[in-house]
Amino acid sequence: MDCIFCKIISGEIPTTKVYEDDKVIAFNDIEPQAPVHILIIPKEHIKSAAEIDGSNSSLIAHVFEVAAKIAKDMSLDGFRIVNNCGDSAGQTVKHIHFHLMSGRDFGWPAG
Ligand code: 5GP
Ligand code: ZN
C-alpha cells in the first residue's frame, strides 16, 4: 500500500520514534509546528476519524492512553491533541494520526 505512515511503521521510511508498542507508534513530525510535535498513529491502516466504529474504537482509546503516557514521561505542561479528518480539515496523510503538540501557547478557536 502506498502510504507514508505504513512505510514508517514497517521501517521503510526512517523516523525518530518516541514510543512503540504492538498497537501504535509515536514519532516526531517532520515539519514541527510546536517545540514538541509528535504524531501518534495506530499500526492498523485506518484512513481517517470518519472510519472509527465499534470494531476499532478501542485502538483509538489506546492512542489517547499513549498520549497521556508520553505527556507524563516528557513532563509536558499542557498539550493539544489534533486530528484533521478529510481534505477540508487539512488531512494530508490518509492514515489516521493524532498530533500531540506542546511547548508553546495555542490560540482558541483554532484557525
Ligand atoms: P495532516 O496534515 O494530515 O493532519 O498531518 C500530516 C503530518 O505528517 C504533517 O504534520 C507532516 O509534517 C507529517 N509528515 C508527512 N510526511 C512525513 C514523514 O515522512 N515523516 C514524518 N515524521 N512526518 C511526516
Ligand atoms: Zn497507512
Side-chain angles (χ1 to χ4, degrees):
M1 189 188 304
D2 194 23
C3 168
I4 295 172
F5 287 176
C6 283
K7 286 179 181 165
I8 284 176
I9 292 162
S10 71
E12 197 179 325
I13 295 177
T15 191
T16 308
K17 274 182 211 166
V18 175
Y19 175 89
E20 179 168 19
D21 63 26
D22 56 329
K23 299 187 203 75
V24 309
I25 67 166
F27 51 93
N28 287 326
D29 196 291
I30 206 168
E31 261 183 71
Q33 304 299 316
V36 175
H37 187 166
I38 292 163
L39 299 173
I40 309 174
I41 70 173
K43 289 184 172 176
E44 180 182 330
H45 182 91
I46 299 167
K47 279 190 219 140
S48 78
E51 297 206 337
I52 299 171
D53 61 20
S55 73
N56 56 26
S57 57
S58 63
L59 205 44
I60 305 306
H62 185 62
V63 165
F64 279 80
E65 277 184 52
V66 168
K69 179 180 165 34
I70 293 170
K72 197 174 171 206
D73 290 350
M74 294 180 73
S75 302
L76 299 184
D77 179 24
F79 54 87
R80 178 169 287 183
I81 296 174
V82 173
N83 169 259
N84 298 320
C85 177
D87 292 333
S88 64
Q91 183 181 5
T92 57
V93 179
K94 302 300 194 279
H95 179 134
I96 193 170
H97 52 279
F98 295 84
H99 301 255
L100 173 63
M101 305 166 82
S102 186
R104 66 169 171 83
D105 290 335
F106 297 95
W108 189 262

